[in-house]
Amino acid sequence: MKKTIDEHAARFSEAAADYDDDQNSVEYEACAGLVIQRAAPHQTDTVLDLGTGTGAIALALAEDAGRVVGRDVSDGMLEQAERKAAERGIENVEFGYGEFRAPEYDGEAQIVTSNFALHHLADEEKREAIETWAALDGGTTPNRSDSVGPRRIVLGDVMFFDDPDPSEPFYSPEVDDPATVGTLVEYFTDAGYAVTNVDRVHDQVGVITAERVVASGRET
């Protein structure tokens, strides 16, 4: 991580009021849309949205999910998310402090989402984060009485499909530390997930959908 968590929190809190207006690129909107589409929660699902920011993904998923929990390190971003939820009358969302490797959440989460945030962590920290998500309580299933991990994890982020190019959008080496797509796929696989979709939005932006593997088959 090229900045500390407190430094990232302060940076995003400072930008929170204008953050939504600034995220107006076609690629960013396409990435967010794909994360929402791939998450596809059921009415009985709880979604844990990590790096929730101003709540764009969390609030969009609230209509279809039973409950959405958003976690972020920036107080300013969380305040914006809470304000938008109140203005829209959305009551099945909860926002609070949480980190990728310490979400500060101990309930069930059938689906985990994250959009445009994990790239601030170094690669080994990303591995630890994905392992943390995989170890969350995903609830029981019709075929198992014991708890398993979340059914689905959807990651939209800055990631490299080709060689890194700081002159291209979305990658600022002074604050960002994106991984290659292959590295992220490996981390999900090692954590017991099968990658079912890799959406290439831009040479440096993509969406990875990973489904939990149970025993010898993938549970859907």
Side-chain angles (χ1 to χ4, degrees):
M1 187 184 297
K2 295 181 177 179
K3 300 281 186 179
T4 67
I5 291 173
D6 287 344
E7 287 171 334
H8 280 301
R11 184 166 66 93
F12 281 103
S13 287
E14 183 176 349
D18 299 318
Y19 186 81
D20 288 345
D21 291 336
D22 292 341
Q23 307 309 308
N24 58 2
S25 72
V26 172
E27 294 86 354
Y28 180 88
E29 292 179 359
C31 187
L34 280 165
V35 171
I36 294 163
Q37 175 186 336
R38 298 298 187 197
H42 301 154
Q43 286 287 344
T44 55
D45 286 337
T46 295
V47 179
L48 178 61
D49 184 43
L50 297 170
T52 196
T54 62
I57 303 299
L59 295 172
L61 292 174
E63 180 178 353
D64 295 323
R67 180 181 179 220
V68 181
V69 177
R71 291 289 184 262
D72 204 280
V73 299
S74 165
D75 289 340
M77 299 290 261
L78 290 168
E79 288 170 4
Q80 292 295 319
E82 290 171 345
R83 177 186 60 79
K84 292 194 302 187
E87 288 176 351
R88 299 176 192 179
I90 300 174
E91 298 181 348
N92 62 330
V93 294
E94 170 208 326
F95 295 107
Y97 182 91
E99 303 170 15
F100 286 121
R101 293 171 291 169
E104 302 295 332
Y105 176 70
D106 59 4
E108 291 185 7
Q110 284 73 36
I111 297 173
V112 175
T113 58
S114 183
N115 190 51
F116 261 72
L118 189 68
H119 62 275
H120 295 122
L121 272 60
D123 281 4
E124 191 55 36
E125 293 168 330
K126 294 186 190 73
R127 178 190 287 277
E128 293 170 2
I130 290 170
E131 289 173 347
T132 298
W133 307 348
L136 291 167
D137 181 0
T140 59
T141 74
N143 299 320
R144 295 174 65 112
S145 59
D146 56 325
S147 174
V148 292
R151 181 175 77 251
R152 181 176 302 126
I153 301 175
V154 185
L155 172 66
D157 205 7
V158 182
M159 58 184 72
F160 299 134
F161 287 86
D162 296 314
D163 292 334
D165 187 350
S167 68
E168 286 290 308
F170 311 112
Y171 174 38
S172 300
E174 64 274 12
V175 294
D176 300 332
D177 201 359
T180 66
V181 173
T183 295
L184 293 169
V185 169
E186 177 186 335
Y187 292 168
F188 280 113
T189 301
D190 289 349
Y193 283 73
V195 172
T196 54
N197 285 96
V198 177
D199 296 290
R200 184 170 182 158
V201 177
H202 177 277
D203 288 349
Q204 301 189 150
V205 176
V207 177
I208 294 175
T209 305
E211 306 277 349
R212 181 182 62 220
V213 174
V214 178
S216 60
R218 185 169 65 248
E219 184 176 84
T220 59

